[in-house]
Amino acid sequence: MDSPVPRGAAPATSPGTTRLTVLSGPSGVGKSTVVAHMRTVHPEVWLSVSATTRAPRPGERHGVQYFFVSDEEFDKLIANGDLLEWAEFAGNRYGTPRRAVREHLERGEPVLLEIDLQGARLVRESMPEAHLVFLAPPSWAELVRRLTGRGTEPPEVVERRLEVARQELAAGAEFDTTLVNTSVEEVSAELLALMRIDGSE
């Protein structure tokens, strides 16, 4: 999968009463799996829902998987500074609504944003108080296994995915904290601890 085109950053915002946690890392490292496990154990963790201009897929609902908006509505979100960050990918645009994030933070609720590297960098610009967490694989060999495991892609596509992964791994030093995904349960507990949430059951 190709990387998104460069994202657009929104103006800076004042910090809320609770720090935003941003989870990022290379494709295939297991971000979505970790987040899903976290929210099963602690559903009070609020996961930001992105706005997108793409059409809903079967089973998707507005406000659950995404906020589905028109191109004109997305243009207004950008013009009004209502997005923390946004990207265009495969002809569609995706962005993180600023207002909902800020409202949950001001209510003192734990807020998690799962996003790619470019988006994490721009959230840092927009909300420098955010805590950026990098999810790393146990090893390069394991990440290669995850990215190539299906065996259905041509060699040039596989090589492109691996090159993007190398670039993403090299950016780990930009983050506040690095967690190694050796176990979904363990890394979820570590992330909950960083968010100051009791991860024990």
Side-chain angles (χ1 to χ4, degrees):
M1 181 180 294
D2 291 336
S3 296
V5 299
R7 292 176 174 256
T13 186
S14 58
T17 57
T18 303
R19 186 168 57 178
L20 170 67
T21 301
V22 178
L23 180 67
S24 190
S27 175
V29 77
K31 297 184 295 294
S32 297
T33 302
V34 169
V35 170
H37 179 78
M38 275 185 58
R39 298 194 70 237
T40 297
V41 177
H42 282 273
E44 73 273 18
V45 174
W46 186 76
L47 180 66
S48 176
V49 178
S50 296
T52 182
T53 57
R54 78 160 171 79
R57 293 169 181 162
E60 290 184 333
R61 291 183 295 159
H62 180 76
V64 179
Q65 286 81 15
Y66 290 98
F67 292 109
F68 297 99
V69 300
S70 66
D71 281 312
E72 292 75 16
E73 289 171 324
F74 203 95
D75 287 339
K76 289 180 181 178
L77 290 173
I78 296 172
N80 294 336
D82 291 334
L83 297 176
L84 285 176
E85 53 79 35
W86 64 273
E88 183 175 342
F89 181 73
N92 298 301
R93 289 181 289 178
Y94 300 80
T96 301
R98 178 192 299 276
R99 180 177 177 181
V101 170
R102 184 169 54 208
E103 287 177 348
H104 283 271
L105 290 173
E106 289 175 349
R107 290 201 293 264
E109 299 174 7
V111 175
L112 179 64
L113 178 59
E114 178 199 338
I115 202 167
D116 67 11
L117 174 61
Q118 290 178 326
R121 286 169 171 163
L122 290 171
V123 170
R124 170 74 87 195
E125 294 177 12
S126 189
M127 297 183 70
E129 71 278 8
H131 188 83
L132 270 57
V133 179
F134 188 81
L135 188 62
S139 66
W140 171 250
E142 174 61 17
L143 186 61
V144 170
R145 186 190 68 79
R146 294 179 186 180
L147 289 173
T148 61
R150 287 177 294 180
T152 58
E153 296 174 322
E156 61 272 17
V157 173
V158 171
E159 183 53 40
R160 170 61 180 163
R161 286 165 63 86
L162 293 177
E163 179 56 32
V164 170
R166 290 187 190 98
Q167 296 171 7
E168 291 171 331
L169 281 174
E174 300 176 24
F175 288 71
D176 301 308
T177 303
T178 295
L179 300 178
V180 179
N181 190 12
T182 54
S183 160
V184 170
E185 292 78 11
E186 290 179 5
V187 81
S188 296
E190 291 172 341
L191 187 54
L192 286 165
L194 287 173
M195 298 178 72
R196 299 180 176 86
I197 300 170
D198 182 6
S200 62
E201 284 296 302

